[in-house]
Every structure is written in C-alpha cells, then in structure tokens.
Amino acid sequence: MKLDRALQLEILNQCRDVYPEELNLDQERQESDRNYLGNVAYLYQHGLIACPSNQEEAFGLELFLVARITVKGLDFLEDDGGISAILNTVTVKFDPDDLRSMLSAKAAKASIPDDQKRRLIEVIKSLPADLLKKITQDLLHQAVERLPDAIHIIQKGAHLLS
C-alpha cells in the first residue's frame, strides 16, 4: 500500500462536497485497489473522515461503505487551518507589574555599576504598559532568534513537566 496524497485529497474533497451528508465510497474500487482502501483507512485512522461500522471485507480488511468528513478534515482542507487554528491558539498574557518585577530583578543582578542599576530599575518601574509591551515583544523576538542557545532552557522546562 502506498500513501497517495492526491488520492487522499480527492477523497476529502468529495466528502466535503456532500457535507454534511455521507459520501458513498466506491466499493468496487476498494475491492480491486488495495491502495484506495488503504488511503481511506489512513484518513479514517487520522480522524479526517468518519465511517460507520462496516459489514463487508476486502483484502481481509473491512470495506468502508460510506464516509463523512469530520470537522478535523474540513479544517485540514482550509488554507488557514479553519476554526481549529483559532481555537488552538495559545495566548500568553503578562501582567505589567510582573514584567516590571522580572526585568528589575534581572537588572539588579546585572554586572554594571550600582548607580546604573538604580537608574535602570527606576526606568523599568516607570515604563508605561504599552512601552513595556513593545519591549517585551522585542525581547521575545530576540530570544527566538537565539533559540539554539535556549534549547537547554526548553529542555529544563520539559523536564519539570515530566
């Protein structure tokens, strides 16, 4: 059996075209083409199509008589990932005071003269929320640019989860 992306796309599009109804699958093709049956099974096992219980067999495997595209399958076909892309978005919010505290603590540990530390901490504590947001975004972008250097931090976080 060979996974065939073009065939999988054809099956998904046919299911989408009749959604929310079920698509009658080609039983003769399944019986004669193990590749077709395998690709239908593959889509089913990944939850992109749903198939009610089946009663016939081919190649020692159940035939899929009908299929209905799932919401996961519909979202897969969408260029933007569909509603799942929106629902699965993670939003991280930081309280401005927490950010000021983190930045101030880091500044306090910096290897700079004490008068510069005090001045830096004063500036950090007086930052308006919108400027603090911009600085945080810039720092995050810089961190992502240095991601290879941060792998140990990510691994440490993953270790804490396990």
Coordinates of all heavy atoms in Angstrom, one line a residue, residues 48-113:
L48 N -9.9 12.2 10.0 CA -10.3 13.2 8.9 C -11.6 12.9 8.3 O -12.3 13.7 7.8 CB -9.2 13.4 7.9 CG -7.8 13.9 8.4 CD1 -6.8 13.9 7.3 CD2 -7.9 15.2 9.1
I49 N -11.9 11.6 8.3 CA -13.3 11.1 7.9 C -13.8 10.2 9.0 O -13.0 9.6 9.7 CB -13.2 10.4 6.5 CG1 -12.3 9.2 6.5 CG2 -12.9 11.4 5.4 CD1 -12.4 8.3 5.3
A50 N -15.1 10.1 9.0 CA -15.8 9.2 10.0 C -16.5 8.1 9.1 O -17.1 8.5 8.1 CB -16.7 9.9 10.9
C51 N -16.4 6.9 9.5 CA -17.1 5.8 8.8 C -17.9 5.0 9.8 O -17.3 4.6 10.8 CB -16.1 4.9 8.1 SG -15.0 5.8 6.9
P52 N -19.2 4.8 9.5 CA -19.9 3.9 10.4 C -19.4 2.5 10.3 O -18.6 2.2 9.5 CB -21.4 4.1 10.0 CG -21.3 4.5 8.5 CD -20.0 5.3 8.4
S53 N -19.9 1.6 11.2 CA -19.4 0.3 11.2 C -19.7 -0.3 9.8 O -20.7 -0.1 9.2 CB -20.1 -0.6 12.3 OG -21.5 -0.7 12.1
N54 N -18.8 -1.2 9.4 CA -18.9 -1.8 8.0 C -19.2 -3.2 8.2 O -18.9 -3.9 9.2 CB -17.5 -1.5 7.3 CG -17.2 0.0 7.3 OD1 -17.9 0.7 6.7 ND2 -16.1 0.4 7.9
Q55 N -19.7 -3.8 7.1 CA -20.1 -5.2 7.1 C -19.4 -6.1 6.1 O -19.4 -7.3 6.2 CB -21.6 -5.3 6.9 CG -22.4 -4.6 8.0 CD -23.6 -3.9 7.5 OE1 -23.9 -3.9 6.3 NE2 -24.3 -3.2 8.4
E56 N -18.7 -5.5 5.2 CA -18.1 -6.3 4.1 C -16.6 -6.3 4.3 O -16.1 -5.4 4.9 CB -18.5 -5.8 2.7 CG -20.0 -6.0 2.5 CD -20.4 -5.6 1.1 OE1 -19.6 -5.8 0.2 OE2 -21.4 -5.0 0.9
E57 N -15.9 -7.2 3.7 CA -14.4 -7.2 3.8 C -13.8 -7.4 2.5 O -14.3 -8.0 1.6 CB -14.0 -8.4 4.7 CG -14.3 -8.2 6.2 CD -13.5 -9.2 7.0 OE1 -12.6 -9.9 6.6 OE2 -13.9 -9.3 8.2
A58 N -12.6 -6.8 2.3 CA -11.7 -6.9 1.1 C -10.3 -7.0 1.7 O -10.0 -6.2 2.6 CB -11.9 -5.8 0.2
F59 N -9.5 -7.8 1.1 CA -8.1 -8.0 1.5 C -8.0 -8.3 3.0 O -7.0 -8.0 3.6 CB -7.3 -6.7 1.2 CG -7.4 -6.2 -0.2 CD1 -7.9 -4.9 -0.5 CD2 -6.9 -6.9 -1.3 CE1 -8.0 -4.5 -1.8 CE2 -6.9 -6.5 -2.5 CZ -7.5 -5.2 -2.8
G60 N -9.0 -8.9 3.5 CA -9.0 -9.2 5.0 C -9.3 -8.0 5.8 O -9.2 -8.0 7.0
L61 N -9.6 -6.8 5.2 CA -9.9 -5.6 5.9 C -11.4 -5.2 5.6 O -11.9 -5.6 4.6 CB -9.0 -4.5 5.4 CG -7.5 -4.7 5.6 CD1 -6.8 -3.5 4.8 CD2 -7.2 -4.7 7.0
E62 N -12.0 -4.5 6.5 CA -13.4 -4.0 6.3 C -13.4 -3.0 5.2 O -12.5 -2.2 5.1 CB -13.9 -3.4 7.6 CG -14.2 -4.4 8.7 CD -14.9 -3.8 9.9 OE1 -15.9 -3.2 9.7 OE2 -14.3 -3.9 11.0
L63 N -14.4 -3.1 4.4 CA -14.7 -2.1 3.4 C -15.3 -0.9 4.1 O -16.1 -1.0 5.0 CB -15.6 -2.6 2.3 CG -15.1 -3.6 1.3 CD1 -16.2 -4.0 0.4 CD2 -13.9 -3.0 0.6
F64 N -15.0 0.3 3.6 CA -15.7 1.5 4.1 C -16.8 1.8 3.1 O -16.5 2.1 1.9 CB -14.7 2.6 4.2 CG -13.6 2.4 5.2 CD1 -12.4 1.8 4.8 CD2 -13.8 2.7 6.5 CE1 -11.4 1.5 5.8 CE2 -12.8 2.5 7.5 CZ -11.6 1.9 7.1
L65 N -18.0 1.6 3.5 CA -19.2 1.8 2.6 C -19.5 3.3 2.4 O -19.8 3.7 1.3 CB -20.4 1.0 3.2 CG -20.1 -0.4 3.5 CD1 -21.4 -1.1 4.1 CD2 -19.7 -1.2 2.2
V66 N -19.4 4.0 3.5 CA -19.7 5.5 3.4 C -18.7 6.2 4.3 O -18.1 5.6 5.2 CB -21.2 5.8 3.8 CG1 -22.2 5.3 2.9 CG2 -21.4 5.4 5.3
A67 N -18.5 7.5 4.0 CA -17.6 8.3 4.8 C -18.2 9.7 4.9 O -18.9 10.2 4.0 CB -16.2 8.4 4.2
R68 N -18.0 10.3 6.1 CA -18.4 11.7 6.3 C -17.2 12.4 6.7 O -16.5 12.0 7.6 CB -19.5 11.8 7.3 CG -19.9 13.3 7.6 CD -20.9 13.5 8.7 NE -22.2 13.0 8.2 CZ -22.9 12.1 8.8 NH1 -22.5 11.6 10.0 NH2 -24.1 11.7 8.3
I69 N -16.9 13.6 6.1 CA -15.7 14.4 6.5 C -16.0 14.9 7.9 O -17.1 15.3 8.3 CB -15.4 15.5 5.5 CG1 -14.0 16.1 5.8 CG2 -16.5 16.5 5.5 CD1 -13.5 16.9 4.7
T70 N -15.0 14.9 8.8 CA -15.1 15.4 10.1 C -14.7 16.9 10.1 O -14.1 17.4 9.2 CB -14.2 14.6 11.1 OG1 -12.8 14.8 10.7 CG2 -14.5 13.1 11.1
V71 N -14.9 17.5 11.3 CA -14.5 18.9 11.4 C -13.0 19.0 11.3 O -12.5 20.0 10.7 CB -15.0 19.6 12.7 CG1 -16.5 19.8 12.6 CG2 -14.6 18.9 13.9
K72 N -12.3 18.0 11.8 CA -10.8 18.0 11.6 C -10.5 17.9 10.1 O -9.5 18.6 9.7 CB -10.3 16.8 12.4 CG -8.8 16.7 12.5 CD -8.4 15.5 13.4 CE -6.9 15.3 13.4 NZ -6.5 14.2 14.2
G73 N -11.2 17.1 9.4 CA -10.9 17.0 7.9 C -11.3 18.3 7.2 O -10.5 18.7 6.3
L74 N -12.4 19.0 7.6 CA -12.7 20.3 7.0 C -11.6 21.3 7.3 O -11.2 22.0 6.4 CB -14.1 20.7 7.5 CG -15.3 20.0 7.0 CD1 -16.5 20.3 7.8 CD2 -15.5 20.2 5.5
D75 N -11.2 21.4 8.5 CA -10.2 22.3 8.9 C -8.8 22.0 8.2 O -8.1 22.9 7.8 CB -9.9 22.4 10.4 CG -11.1 23.1 11.1 OD1 -11.9 23.7 10.5 OD2 -11.1 23.0 12.4
F76 N -8.6 20.8 8.0 CA -7.3 20.4 7.3 C -7.3 20.9 5.8 O -6.3 21.3 5.3 CB -7.2 18.8 7.2 CG -6.1 18.3 6.4 CD1 -4.8 18.3 6.9 CD2 -6.3 17.8 5.1 CE1 -3.7 17.9 6.1 CE2 -5.2 17.4 4.3 CZ -3.9 17.4 4.9
L77 N -8.5 20.9 5.2 CA -8.6 21.4 3.8 C -8.5 22.9 3.7 O -8.2 23.5 2.7 CB -9.9 20.9 3.2 CG -10.0 19.4 2.9 CD1 -11.4 19.1 2.4 CD2 -8.9 19.0 1.9
E78 N -8.8 23.6 4.8 CA -8.8 25.1 4.8 C -7.3 25.6 4.8 O -6.5 25.1 5.5 CB -9.5 25.7 6.0 CG -11.0 25.4 6.0 CD -11.7 26.1 4.8 OE1 -11.4 27.2 4.5 OE2 -12.5 25.3 4.1
D79 N -7.1 26.6 4.0 CA -5.7 27.2 3.9 C -5.3 27.8 5.2 O -4.1 27.8 5.5 CB -5.7 28.3 2.8 CG -5.8 27.8 1.4 OD1 -5.4 26.6 1.2 OD2 -6.3 28.5 0.5
D80 N -6.2 28.3 6.0 CA -5.8 28.9 7.3 C -5.9 28.0 8.5 O -5.8 28.4 9.6 CB -6.7 30.2 7.5 CG -8.1 29.9 7.7 OD1 -8.6 28.7 7.6 OD2 -8.9 30.8 8.0
G81 N -6.2 26.7 8.3 CA -6.4 25.8 9.3 C -7.8 25.7 10.0 O -8.0 25.0 10.9
G82 N -8.7 26.6 9.4 CA -10.0 26.5 9.9 C -10.2 27.0 11.3 O -9.3 27.7 11.9
I83 N -11.3 26.7 11.9 CA -11.6 27.2 13.3 C -10.6 26.5 14.3 O -10.3 27.2 15.3 CB -13.1 26.9 13.6 CG1 -14.0 27.8 12.8 CG2 -13.3 27.0 15.1 CD1 -15.5 27.5 13.0
S84 N -10.2 25.3 14.0 CA -9.2 24.7 14.9 C -8.0 25.6 15.1 O -7.4 25.6 16.2 CB -8.8 23.3 14.4 OG -9.9 22.5 14.4
A85 N -7.5 26.2 14.1 CA -6.3 27.1 14.2 C -6.6 28.2 15.2 O -5.8 28.7 15.9 CB -5.9 27.6 12.8
I86 N -7.9 28.7 15.1 CA -8.2 29.8 16.1 C -8.4 29.3 17.5 O -7.9 29.8 18.4 CB -9.6 30.5 15.6 CG1 -9.4 31.1 14.2 CG2 -10.1 31.5 16.6 CD1 -10.6 31.5 13.5
L87 N -9.1 28.2 17.6 CA -9.4 27.6 18.9 C -8.1 27.1 19.6 O -8.0 27.1 20.8 CB -10.4 26.5 18.8 CG -11.8 26.9 18.4 CD1 -12.7 25.7 18.2 CD2 -12.4 27.9 19.4
N88 N -7.1 26.6 18.8 CA -5.9 26.0 19.4 C -4.8 27.1 19.6 O -3.7 26.7 19.9 CB -5.4 24.9 18.5 CG -6.4 23.7 18.6 OD1 -7.1 23.5 19.6 ND2 -6.5 22.9 17.5
T89 N -5.1 28.3 19.4 CA -4.1 29.4 19.6 C -3.9 29.6 21.0 O -4.9 29.7 21.8 CB -4.6 30.7 18.9 OG1 -4.7 30.5 17.5 CG2 -3.6 31.8 19.2
V90 N -2.7 29.6 21.5 CA -2.4 29.9 22.8 C -2.0 31.4 23.0 O -1.2 31.9 22.3 CB -1.1 29.0 23.3 CG1 -0.7 29.4 24.7 CG2 -1.5 27.6 23.2
T91 N -2.7 32.0 23.9 CA -2.4 33.4 24.2 C -1.8 33.5 25.5 O -2.3 33.0 26.5 CB -3.8 34.2 24.2 OG1 -4.4 34.1 22.9 CG2 -3.5 35.7 24.5
V92 N -0.7 34.2 25.6 CA 0.1 34.3 26.8 C -0.1 35.8 27.2 O 0.3 36.7 26.4 CB 1.5 33.9 26.7 CG1 2.3 34.2 28.0 CG2 1.7 32.5 26.2
K93 N -0.5 36.0 28.4 CA -0.7 37.4 28.9 C 0.2 37.6 30.2 O 0.2 36.7 31.0 CB -2.1 37.7 29.2 CG -3.0 37.7 28.0 CD -4.4 38.2 28.4 CE -5.3 38.2 27.1 NZ -6.6 38.7 27.4
F94 N 0.9 38.7 30.2 CA 1.7 39.0 31.3 C 1.2 40.3 32.0 O 0.8 41.2 31.3 CB 3.2 39.3 30.9 CG 3.9 38.1 30.5 CD1 4.2 37.8 29.1 CD2 4.4 37.2 31.4 CE1 4.8 36.7 28.7 CE2 5.1 36.1 31.0 CZ 5.4 35.8 29.7
D95 N 1.1 40.3 33.2 CA 0.7 41.5 34.0 C 1.9 42.5 33.9 O 3.1 42.1 34.1 CB 0.4 41.1 35.4 CG 0.1 42.3 36.3 OD1 -1.0 42.8 36.1 OD2 0.9 42.7 37.1
P96 N 1.6 43.7 33.6 CA 2.7 44.7 33.5 C 3.6 44.8 34.8 O 4.8 44.9 34.7 CB 2.0 46.0 33.3 CG 0.7 45.7 32.6 CD 0.4 44.3 33.2
D97 N 3.0 44.6 35.9 CA 3.7 44.7 37.2 C 4.7 43.5 37.3 O 5.8 43.6 37.8 CB 2.8 44.7 38.4 CG 2.1 46.1 38.5 OD1 2.7 47.1 38.0 OD2 1.0 46.1 39.1
D98 N 4.2 42.3 36.8 CA 5.0 41.1 36.8 C 6.2 41.3 35.9 O 7.4 40.9 36.2 CB 4.3 39.9 36.4 CG 3.2 39.4 37.5 OD1 3.4 39.8 38.7 OD2 2.3 38.7 37.1
L99 N 6.0 41.9 34.7 CA 7.1 42.1 33.8 C 8.1 43.1 34.4 O 9.3 42.9 34.3 CB 6.5 42.7 32.5 CG 5.8 41.7 31.6 CD1 5.2 42.4 30.4 CD2 6.8 40.6 31.1
R100 N 7.6 44.2 35.0 CA 8.5 45.1 35.7 C 9.3 44.4 36.7 O 10.5 44.7 36.8 CB 7.7 46.3 36.3 CG 7.2 47.2 35.2 CD 6.5 48.4 35.9 NE 5.7 49.2 34.9 CZ 4.4 49.1 34.7 NH1 3.7 48.2 35.3 NH2 3.9 49.8 33.7
S101 N 8.7 43.6 37.5 CA 9.4 42.8 38.6 C 10.5 41.9 38.0 O 11.6 41.9 38.5 CB 8.5 42.0 39.4 OG 7.6 42.8 40.1
M102 N 10.2 41.2 36.9 CA 11.2 40.3 36.3 C 12.3 41.1 35.7 O 13.5 40.7 35.9 CB 10.5 39.5 35.2 CG 9.6 38.4 35.7 SD 9.1 37.2 34.4 CE 8.4 38.2 33.2
L103 N 12.0 42.2 35.0 CA 13.1 43.0 34.4 C 13.9 43.7 35.5 O 15.2 43.7 35.4 CB 12.5 44.0 33.5 CG 11.9 43.4 32.2 CD1 11.1 44.5 31.4 CD2 12.9 42.8 31.3
S104 N 13.3 44.2 36.5 CA 14.0 44.8 37.6 C 14.9 43.8 38.3 O 16.1 44.2 38.7 CB 13.0 45.4 38.6 OG 12.3 46.5 38.0
A105 N 14.4 42.6 38.6 CA 15.3 41.6 39.2 C 16.5 41.3 38.4 O 17.6 41.1 38.9 CB 14.4 40.3 39.5
K106 N 16.3 41.2 37.1 CA 17.4 40.9 36.2 C 18.4 42.0 36.2 O 19.6 41.8 36.2 CB 16.9 40.6 34.8 CG 17.8 39.9 33.9 CD 18.2 38.5 34.4 CE 19.1 37.8 33.4 NZ 19.6 36.6 34.0
A107 N 17.9 43.2 36.2 CA 18.7 44.4 36.2 C 19.5 44.5 37.5 O 20.7 44.9 37.5 CB 17.9 45.7 36.0
A108 N 18.9 44.1 38.6 CA 19.6 44.1 39.9 C 20.8 43.1 39.9 O 21.8 43.4 40.6 CB 18.6 43.8 41.0
K109 N 20.7 42.1 39.1 CA 21.8 41.1 39.0 C 22.8 41.4 38.0 O 23.8 40.7 37.8 CB 21.2 39.7 38.8 CG 20.4 39.2 40.0 CD 19.8 37.8 39.7 CE 18.9 37.4 40.8 NZ 18.3 36.0 40.5
A110 N 22.6 42.4 37.2 CA 23.5 42.8 36.1 C 24.8 43.2 36.6 O 25.0 43.7 37.7 CB 22.8 43.9 35.2
S111 N 25.8 42.9 35.7 CA 27.2 43.3 36.1 C 27.5 44.7 35.6 O 28.3 44.9 34.7 CB 28.2 42.3 35.4 OG 27.9 41.0 35.6
I112 N 26.8 45.7 36.2 CA 27.0 47.1 35.9 C 27.2 47.9 37.2 O 26.7 47.4 38.3 CB 25.9 47.7 35.0 CG1 24.5 47.5 35.7 CG2 25.9 47.0 33.7 CD1 23.4 48.1 35.0
P113 N 27.7 49.0 37.2 CA 27.8 49.8 38.4 C 26.5 50.1 39.1 O 25.5 50.1 38.5 CB 28.5 51.1 38.0 CG 29.1 50.8 36.7 CD 28.3 49.7 36.0

